[in-house]
């Protein structure tokens, strides 16, 4: 008997998949277009998650699909480290141009975000000859061993998986809403240099310009600038992990531009290739060239299908002014969410909507930042998908709803989705 129903697929998945790879909703997608998806039961969903910030140019964007189909007719894989191809070179050239700052840049391609992070650490260590890496509390850098070690959030990412690689240190990330100022973070870093590792032993500091999984907290500009100064002073490589913030999502092409900072290395993944697996490290040429030939790469690194998709994504970003559109999406969400906060001031503690289409609301009890409400968060996310809206949560405290719509979404769909959010609040808090 053929199975067509979400519930039956979920049972089969539960039996076939290890529980560690869970899913947010028992919704099995049949097809999708731009910011809408339809499941195997024929239900329609507005997608405010974009497959976790990946499909920024929308699902099955006709231009991306056409570029990929044309590439598939020619070849699907040769390995960029064996017999390369023009799409990878063109894409590297474009990324080198787009990366912030005037220092000449070079690029390498890999496949996942975690791999890009790991390669940054390898490059920084090869360049400096040093061992230490500093990351931040609440940061998320991936699920491989080194990336997980850098991640500053235990549940669910680090539970049961230790020991972690050595020479990783965590410092507080500045979040005013939770009482950690820029000054507090910088003081903690200075203290770390006194008690844990000398700055002359530190290869790199890795920072997300907006913490993603950690709760959508933008790094204040003065913090990014202070990190730049600190790294310059001590010869430390500054890595901006722009896997979630990159490729136009925040209203700048790279989020580091808000602070006017030129990172030494930048990670790129997610939104780069319209849903095809691709990641990259883009960085200052002299640092990028530190590892020996063959020291960086991977079998599927820079897949020709993904590189072709990424070139189409870049064209779309330019043709449709999607960087600017991200800013407008942020303003639209900000206005509607402030209205909602006016109705539920005790539940919506904070709204963060000044980094384009990377928007969040933090849910609390009694309007108190120190009383997170993860149960309300889960209830809203669950009711939302039951009413046809895919919402994602995040946050060290599990109490943040994040909005990551496609940059090609229409105002009408945004409003329709936010009406569902309003209805869910009414229902859950009645
Ligand atoms: C900032 C950041 N770094 C790294 C990663 C890991 O990327 P991947 O899941 O592709 O390995 C993510 C994924 O969410 C991320 O948001």
């Amino acid at each position: 008997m053929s199975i067509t129903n979400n519930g039956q697929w979920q049972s089969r998945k539960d039996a076939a998949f290890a529980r560690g790879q869970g899913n947010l909703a028992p919704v099995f997608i049949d097809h999708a277009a731009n910011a809408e998806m339809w499941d195997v039961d024929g239900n329609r969903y507005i997608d405010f998650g974009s497959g976790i910030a990946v499909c920024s140019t929308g699902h099955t964007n006709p231009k991306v699909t056409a570029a990929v189909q044309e590439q598939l007719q020619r070849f699907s894989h040769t390995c960029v480290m064996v017999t390369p191809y023009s799409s990878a070179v063109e894409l590297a050239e474009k990324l080198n141009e787009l990366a912030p700052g005037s220092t000449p840049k070079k690029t390498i391609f890999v496949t996942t975000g975690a791999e890009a992070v790991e390669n940054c650490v390898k490059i920084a260590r090869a360049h400096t000859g040093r061992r230490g890496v500093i990351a931040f509390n609440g940061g998320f850098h991936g699920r491989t061993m080194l990336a997980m070690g850098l991640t500053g959030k235990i549940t669910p990412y680090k539970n049961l998986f230790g020991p972690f690689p050595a020479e990783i240190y965590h410092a507080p990330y500045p979040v005013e809403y939770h009482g950690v100022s820029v000054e507090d973070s910088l003081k903690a870093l200075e203290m770390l240099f006194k008690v844990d590792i000398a700055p002359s032993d530190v290869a790199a500091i890795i920072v997300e310009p907006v913490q993603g999984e950690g709760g959508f907290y933008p790094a204040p500009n003065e913090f990014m600038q202070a990190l730049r100064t600190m790294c310059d002073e001590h010869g430390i490589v500054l890595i901006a992990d722009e896997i979630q913030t990159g490729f136009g999502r925040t209203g700048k092409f790279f989020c580091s531009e808000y602070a006017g900072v030129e990172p030494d290395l930048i990670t790129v993944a997610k939104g780069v290739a319209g849903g095809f697996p691709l990641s990259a490290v883009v960085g200052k040429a002299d640092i990028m060239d530190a590892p020996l030939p063959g020291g960086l790469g991977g079998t599927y690194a820079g897949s020709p299908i993904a590189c072709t998709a990424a070139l189409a994504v870049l064209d779309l970003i330019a043709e449709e002014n999607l960087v600017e559109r991200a800013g407008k999406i942020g303003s639209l969400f900000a206005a509607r969410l402030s209205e909602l906060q006016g109705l539920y001031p005790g539940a919506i503690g904070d709204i963060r909507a000044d980094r384009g289409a990377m928007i969040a609301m933090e849910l609390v009890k009694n309007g108190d930042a120190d009383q997170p409400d993860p149960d309300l968060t889960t209830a809203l996310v669950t009711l939302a998908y039951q009413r046809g809206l895919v919402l994602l949560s995040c946050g060290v405290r599990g109490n943040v709803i994040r909005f990551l719509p496609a940059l090609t979404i229409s105002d009408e769909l945004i409003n329709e989705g936010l009406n569902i959010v309003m209805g869910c609040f009414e229902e859950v808090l009645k």
Side-chain angles (χ1 to χ4, degrees):
M1 195 181 78
S2 74
I3 288 180
T4 56
N5 155 307
N6 281 318
Q8 288 169 315
W9 277 115
Q10 188 66 48
S11 303
R12 277 175 70 172
K13 181 188 172 250
D14 291 343
F17 274 49
R19 64 179 183 162
Q21 194 168 28
N23 53 297
L24 172 112
V27 168
F28 286 73
I29 297 304
D30 179 73
H31 61 281
N34 198 10
E36 293 170 282
M37 307 190 287
W38 287 264
D39 70 15
V40 290
D41 289 337
N43 301 307
R44 166 195 177 249
Y45 300 85
I46 296 171
D47 187 4
F48 275 1
S50 306
I52 321 189
V54 169
C55 298
S56 297
T57 49
H59 295 285
T60 56
N61 186 298
K63 284 198 177 165
V64 176
T65 305
V68 164
Q69 278 169 340
E70 193 276 331
Q71 174 61 43
L72 274 171
Q73 301 291 328
R74 294 191 294 121
F75 65 97
S76 60
H77 177 81
T78 62
C79 188
V80 80
M81 297 153 68
V82 179
T83 46
Y85 27 86
S86 57
S87 55
V89 179
E90 279 177 40
L91 184 60
E93 287 169 351
K94 291 196 172 171
L95 290 178
N96 294 340
E97 244 169 67
L98 284 162
S102 55
T103 317
K105 305 290 190 309
K106 283 195 169 186
T107 286
I108 59 150
F109 292 113
V110 273
T111 312
T112 66
E115 265 185 288
V117 166
E118 299 232 354
N119 277 282
C120 282
V121 174
K122 286 168 65 174
I123 294 165
R125 283 186 171 153
H127 171 71
T128 59
R130 303 176 183 178
R131 56 195 168 90
V133 187
I134 297 173
F136 292 95
N137 298 350
F140 180 77
H141 300 289
R143 288 179 172 83
T144 54
M145 218 59 199
L146 179 53
M148 185 175 46
L150 293 167
T151 290
K153 183 178 174 191
I154 297 290
T155 303
Y157 306 120
K158 297 173 88 160
N159 283 353
L160 310 176
F161 297 135
F164 302 108
E167 301 299 347
I168 293 171
Y169 303 87
H170 285 95
Y173 183 87
V175 180
E176 278 294 347
Y177 183 62
H178 288 292
V180 184
S181 67
V182 169
E183 205 191 349
D184 294 334
S185 288
L186 296 175
K187 270 190 187 159
L189 279 166
E190 292 298 346
M191 188 51 71
L192 196 104
F193 290 153
K194 291 200 170 32
V195 301
D196 276 325
I197 185 164
S200 55
D201 282 331
V202 177
I205 296 180
I206 182 165
V207 62
E208 291 163 90
V210 177
Q211 273 197 346
E213 302 296 312
F216 275 37
Y217 300 109
N221 291 342
E222 64 272 26
F223 182 64
M224 293 295 289
Q225 290 154 3
L227 289 183
R228 181 65 277 174
T229 305
M230 184 179 281
C231 286
D232 287 342
E233 210 174 296
H234 298 294
I236 296 169
V237 172
L238 180 62
I239 304 169
D241 184 348
E242 294 242 20
I243 284 167
Q244 201 157 153
T245 53
F247 258 70
R249 173 151 298 278
T250 65
K252 303 270 186 202
F253 199 90
F254 286 107
C255 189
S256 304
E257 293 168 40
Y258 277 101
V261 157
E262 180 177 7
D264 297 309
L265 301 177
I266 301 177
T267 58
V268 174
K270 289 193 183 282
V272 63
F276 294 86
L278 181 72
S279 64
V281 179
V282 188
K284 292 181 180 167
D286 62 325
I287 300 178
M288 290 294 292
D289 271 336
L292 300 175
L296 306 175
T299 305
Y300 296 107
S303 141
I305 298 167
C307 286
T308 307
L311 288 170
V313 166
L314 276 174
D315 285 347
L316 280 160
I317 290 174
E319 284 162 17
E320 299 188 11
N321 295 318
L322 294 182
V323 179
E324 203 183 309
R325 174 68 187 150
K328 292 200 174 124
I329 290 172
S331 307
L332 187 49
F333 269 87
R336 295 279 321 261
L337 293 178
S338 320
E339 235 175 84
L340 193 64
Q341 192 179 30
L343 295 173
Y344 303 102
I348 303 179
D350 193 30
I351 290 168
R352 297 184 276 280
D354 63 349
R355 289 291 185 270
M358 197 167 175
I359 307 134
M361 59 181 171
E362 183 150 347
L363 302 175
V364 296
K365 292 174 188 154
N366 308 311
D368 180 1
D370 290 331
Q371 295 183 53
D373 200 341
D375 294 338
L376 173 61
T377 310
T378 307
L380 288 168
V381 168
T382 304
L383 189 58
Y385 85 71
Q386 288 164 351
R387 292 184 170 188
L389 173 69
V390 172
L391 280 185
L392 303 177
S393 60
C394 65
V396 176
R397 300 161 190 82
N399 67 327
V400 176
I401 291 186
R402 55 174 156 170
F403 303 94
L404 291 159
L407 307 181
T408 47
I409 192 172
S410 65
D411 287 2
E412 290 69 31
L413 266 193
I414 293 176
N415 282 318
E416 190 185 337
L418 286 171
N419 289 343
I420 297 177
V421 173
M422 284 193 150
C424 291
F425 267 89
E426 249 170 60
E427 174 73 25
V428 174
L429 293 177
K430 73 174 180 235

